[in-house]
Amino acid sequence: MSKIIKVLELGSGNSRRGANQNRGRALVAGGAGFLGSHLCERLLLDGYDVVALDNFHTGKRFNLKAVLHNPRFTCIEHDIVDALPSNLRVDEIYNLACPASPPHYQADPIHTFKTSVLGSLNLLELARKHNAKIFQASTSEVYGDPLVHPQPESYFGNVNTHGPRSCYDEGKRSAETLFFDYSRTYGLDVRVARIFNTYGRRMQPDDGRVVSNFIVQALRGDDLTVYGSGLQTRSFCYADDLIEGFVRLMNAPSAPAHPVNLGNPGEFTIMELATLVVDYTNSRSKIVHRPLPVDDPKQRRPDISFARNNLGWEPKINLAQGLAHTVEYFDTLLYGNRMAKGAAAS
Ligand code: NAD
Ligand code: UDP
């Protein structure tokens, strides 16, 4: 059963591009999440009416604070695994609904898999019904523990089908299959982004991913928990850069015939990240080691040649700048911006 948190006329009105000089109605599944809430804001700025659908598993109403009173914004509490509200009319769909952090997506793995597969099917059917363009937030996890480095879109990946990460990795792989089969079968305009690790404002303190964990630990003066040796690598993209990539991919004049990598090619070991976070927070926290989770990928770095050459997109915000913004965000959230007041974490 879905609950409308704030009402917009869903079944009527200006859901077509050009009406009232707006750009039509965009549906953002997962719109109350970390990335989804940034995307809702961006789409409103770009002239869309925006409908967010979210089951609030990891999303928060608080993330929507800036848009909830916008008359062109609606939020519906709904799980995309269930049949969608029948009166939804949309011009564009962005599917970001899925828990993204390993502890969250592993908490109910069967529901995570259903979210990627049944949820995608529901949204694809909605797109078909309204001939709407549809975007899928896929992931670098489709490359698994990659044997090719950096990872180009043409790499098929190295994924365990039955491990604790599989519900997410294989769910997202299946969703990619569905998106391109809907394109081939029904001529649907689909855009699929493979997103590499992205961080920034609006992550939750209990999100569980590495950047938020380290920053929150450092600000609290707790030990920073490096899993394994810390020599595994990731490439970290700041959220604002990524959202620009989403919009460029969605607005590209023709749909790429394959998924597109979006991420920051700067590659860091987890130990390097821990050291940077301790530095930027002036923290006296210690770095400690904890067991490496099963199937934790050893390396990750996007080849973004396609996005560079075809979307004119590349990240502008480096790790130092992005961490500074994110540290400020968490410090404000947790302590009312204690660092600006001159107090170091101890
Ligand atoms: P997030 O957990 O903050 O956001 C996910 C949102 O989807 C939340 O608001 C959650 O409540 C909602 N949701 C989950 N299951 C749902 C369901 N069944 N029905 C309706 N809503 C549901 O994570 P995020 O980092 O903002 O990720 C957004 C999307 O981008 C996800 O699909 C994720 O897989 C993908 N992605 C993110 C990253 C990253 O580094 N942030 C990397 C790769 C892919
Ligand atoms: N990680 C870590 N400490 C933490 C959280 C994560 O060392 O507190 C490691 C994790 O084992 C992985 C990397 O950081 O090697 C990135 O983890 P995250 O969960 O952010 O993303 P993913 O593994 O899905 O890329």
Side-chain angles (χ1 to χ4, degrees):
M1 190 60 187
S2 50
K3 183 168 115 202
I4 298 181
I5 291 170
K6 215 204 66 185
V7 185
L8 176 95
E9 296 298 319
L10 292 177
S12 59
N14 52 349
S15 82
R16 278 290 143 199
R17 287 177 195 91
N20 283 357
Q21 302 195 325
N22 78 8
R23 297 183 65 185
R25 180 175 294 150
L27 177 79
V28 181
F34 158 50
L35 294 175
S37 59
H38 286 288
L39 180 62
C40 289
E41 267 182 56
R42 170 64 187 263
L43 293 174
L44 285 165
L45 279 176
D46 286 354
Y48 291 87
D49 288 349
V50 175
V51 179
L53 274 192
D54 205 294
N55 68 354
F56 294 99
H57 173 206
T58 51
K60 298 278 178 267
R61 281 176 178 71
F62 184 75
N63 286 343
L64 299 172
K65 210 172 126 207
V67 296
L68 210 49
H69 298 292
N70 188 317
R72 291 187 292 114
F73 179 76
T74 305
C75 181
I76 304 174
E77 184 169 352
H78 185 88
D79 193 312
I80 60 162
V81 167
D82 301 327
L84 299 178
S86 57
N87 59 344
L88 268 180
R89 280 186 41 196
V90 291
D91 302 306
E92 297 189 8
I93 300 173
Y94 288 82
N95 181 20
L96 276 66
C98 189
S101 166
H104 288 304
Y105 70 64
Q106 289 171 23
D108 186 348
I110 296 169
H111 198 264
T112 298
F113 194 77
K114 283 184 180 171
T115 295
S116 278
V117 178
L118 300 180
S120 291
L121 270 173
N122 283 334
L123 293 169
L124 284 161
E125 279 299 319
L126 182 70
R128 201 179 145 209
K129 183 170 158 193
H130 297 292
N131 195 22
K133 204 193 276 190
I134 182 165
F135 172 101
Q136 165 67 354
S138 190
T139 171
S140 57
E141 294 292 325
V142 302
Y143 300 121
D145 191 6
L147 305 175
V148 169
H149 193 71
Q151 294 80 54
E153 288 91 349
S154 55
Y155 178 48
F156 289 167
N158 175 37
V159 180
N160 181 356
T161 58
H162 59 278
R165 297 176 80 97
S166 309
C167 60
Y168 184 74
D169 302 7
E170 292 292 341
K172 291 283 187 180
R173 286 172 69 94
S174 306
E176 287 195 0
T177 306
L178 280 170
F179 270 71
F180 285 99
D181 279 339
Y182 265 72
S183 166
R184 281 184 289 262
T185 307
Y186 300 117
L188 209 60
D189 186 335
V190 306
R191 317 278 167 131
V192 177
R194 285 186 181 152
I195 305 164
F196 287 65
N197 300 61
T198 301
Y199 68 99
R201 293 171 297 120
R202 303 238 178 91
M203 294 189 93
Q204 299 302 312
D206 65 351
D207 177 274
R209 282 173 278 185
V210 69
V211 175
S212 48
N213 269 11
F214 283 178
I215 293 177
V216 169
Q217 289 164 341
L219 289 171
R220 288 183 173 150
D222 295 341
D223 294 342
L224 270 67
T225 53
V226 168
Y227 301 160
S229 65
L231 296 179
Q232 68 272 35
T233 66
R234 293 293 186 276
S235 299
F236 299 104
C237 186
Y238 191 64
D240 295 12
D241 278 333
L242 187 76
I243 299 298
E244 178 63 30
F246 285 5
V247 169
R248 287 194 188 210
L249 175 55
M250 193 62 152
N251 291 336
S254 60
H258 53 77
V260 176
N261 285 343
L262 294 178
N264 191 320
E267 184 182 2
F268 296 84
T269 67
I270 297 305
M271 274 304 282
E272 285 171 329
L273 177 71
T275 308
L276 285 172
V277 169
V278 169
D279 277 359
Y280 292 154
T281 50
N282 296 320
S283 177
R284 288 180 213 146
S285 293
K286 294 196 302 293
I287 295 174
V288 299
H289 292 266
R290 296 284 176 263
L292 188 68
V294 175
D295 291 336
D296 199 276
K298 286 183 265 316
Q299 53 185 359
R300 196 56 79 55
R301 178 181 177 188
D303 177 338
I304 60 164
S305 312
F306 183 89
R308 262 201 193 108
N309 297 335
N310 295 278
L311 307 178
W313 177 85
E314 64 182 352
K316 303 262 182 280
I317 300 169
N318 65 28
L319 186 59
Q321 295 162 323
L323 283 180
H325 293 314
T326 313
V327 166
E328 189 187 359
Y329 156 76
F330 275 115
D331 187 41
T332 304
L333 186 74
L334 299 174
Y335 298 110
N337 208 350
R338 184 179 59 174
M339 290 179 69
K341 295 174 198 151
S346 57

